[in-house]
Amino acid sequence: MFARLVRETGLDVGFSDAATVGEVFDEAFATLRRAGLRNEYVYRAALVNNVLMGTHSLRTASMLTEFRAVSSKADLVILNGTATVYEIKSERDSLGRLAKQITDYQRVFAKVFVIAGADHIEEVAKQVPEHVGILCLKRWNRISTIRDAQSCLELIDSSCVLDSLRSSEAKLVLERVGLSVPNVPNTKMRAALLEEFEQLDTDVLHRTMVAVLKSSRNLSSLHYFVQKMPLSLQAAALTYKIQKSQHDNLIKAVSTPFASARHWV
């Protein structure tokens, strides 16, 4: 099926017999990342390559995708010493919901960035507050900083932070700051947790939230697996939940010579 799909796209022209399945994915990705064609995945891959695995590493930072903040879902969040959210606005995206998304994000995260294509930058700058950073994807692997993001802890809302966390994570936040987990029925637990969260200094709450999320959603175990994936699939390897038992099979699959599959079509 894979070989047939590749043939239908016309991407199989010119591949040597030594070319691997992974290299075919890279060739497809090279087409998708051209200006005007770039979708959200291309932007996500650029952030993974340049920020998560460029500035940081999987051993020191973690990444969240589709993380709920109030009524929005963050495209990508990187946790290091702080929590930084990146809202992606590709060439294919509308800016219609941007203002609401930024309002939601700044109630949970210390720093907010919008990363967009060149055609969106001027309008993004008009819509977002001065403390929101703006990034431009010049080429798929080159991110230009138009404006850096400022940390605005004072905008964080403890109830919004709690709503973004699992109950187990919220309890760990309290334990890390030396508070007891409320001894109440599950039906009353969220309300009781909120009472405790509202007592915390915003800086302490945010810092502890970051520490808990880095631990509960740690990606360091994926380091070897991600390194073995072709560049085009590294963001996917970090985004989609793939059972550890399947890692070796996928590594083997992307290393398979494409010619062996192509001859079956």
Side-chain angles (χ1 to χ4, degrees):
M1 182 182 293
F2 176 73
R4 185 170 66 251
L5 289 171
V6 172
R7 172 167 290 184
E8 289 174 0
T9 65
L11 287 171
D12 65 335
V13 177
F15 281 120
S16 69
D17 287 346
T20 65
V21 168
E23 288 172 323
V24 175
F25 272 105
D26 282 345
E27 183 65 23
F29 185 62
T31 299
L32 290 175
R33 70 192 191 206
R34 293 173 189 162
L37 299 177
R38 300 180 302 194
N39 60 12
E40 187 236 346
Y41 181 77
V42 174
Y43 283 73
R44 190 189 302 267
L47 288 168
V48 167
N49 184 259
N50 286 270
V51 182
L52 180 64
M53 299 176 66
T55 304
H56 308 299
S57 77
L58 292 181
R59 294 189 176 93
T60 61
S62 195
M63 182 185 86
L64 311 172
T65 57
E66 300 299 314
F67 187 81
R68 187 166 65 89
V70 194
S71 61
S72 299
K73 284 190 177 181
D75 288 324
L76 189 145
V77 180
I78 292 181
L79 306 167
N80 191 32
T82 187
T84 304
V85 59
Y86 297 85
E87 174 59 28
I88 295 169
K89 292 301 180 187
S90 76
E91 291 92 324
R92 300 184 180 189
D93 292 328
S94 162
L95 301 182
R97 296 184 59 246
L98 181 59
K100 177 62 168 65
Q101 290 170 317
I102 297 303
T103 299
D104 288 349
Y105 297 154
Q106 63 192 14
R107 297 171 75 181
V108 177
F109 309 106
K111 290 185 175 182
V112 181
F113 277 99
V114 178
I115 178 170
D119 291 346
H120 277 328
I121 294 299
E122 185 176 346
E123 185 59 30
V124 168
K126 292 178 182 177
Q127 290 197 28
V128 302
E130 288 292 325
H131 63 267
V132 173
I134 301 175
L135 305 173
C136 181
L137 187 61
K138 297 286 189 180
R139 296 166 58 187
W140 93 266
N141 61 347
R142 181 167 159 248
I143 298 174
S144 174
T145 301
I146 307 300
R147 184 173 74 202
D148 204 0
Q150 302 172 29
S151 181
C152 291
L153 292 171
E154 66 275 11
L155 299 176
I156 291 176
D157 185 315
S158 55
S159 66
C160 296
V161 172
L162 175 61
D163 286 344
S164 294
L165 299 175
R166 302 166 182 159
S167 291
S168 59
E169 293 168 337
K171 293 174 183 177
L172 284 173
V173 167
L174 295 185
E175 291 175 357
R176 280 179 176 256
V177 298
L179 295 176
S180 299
V181 175
N183 184 21
V184 298
N186 287 338
T187 54
K188 299 181 179 180
M189 181 59 72
R190 297 299 284 191
L193 288 170
L194 179 57
E195 288 184 14
E196 300 294 336
F197 269 47
E198 289 176 336
Q199 297 179 39
L200 298 178
D201 176 80
T202 302
D203 178 56
V204 172
L205 174 59
H206 185 262
R207 187 171 63 249
T208 310
M209 176 196 76
V210 171
V212 167
L213 287 174
K214 282 182 67 177
S215 175
S216 65
R217 310 194 191 193
N218 189 281
L219 298 176
S220 60
S221 63
L222 296 177
H223 179 78
Y224 175 79
F225 175 56
V226 172
Q227 291 294 326
K228 290 296 183 179
M229 287 292 103
L231 188 63
S232 57
L233 295 181
Q234 289 183 354
L238 289 167
T239 302
Y240 303 110
K241 290 181 173 61
I242 301 169
Q243 293 183 356
K244 192 171 183 178
S245 60
Q246 295 297 317
H247 288 186
D248 287 342
N249 288 342
L250 278 171
I251 292 171
K252 182 179 179 181
V254 297
S255 302
T256 301
F258 180 63
S260 64
R262 182 169 53 189
H263 294 327
W264 299 341
V265 180

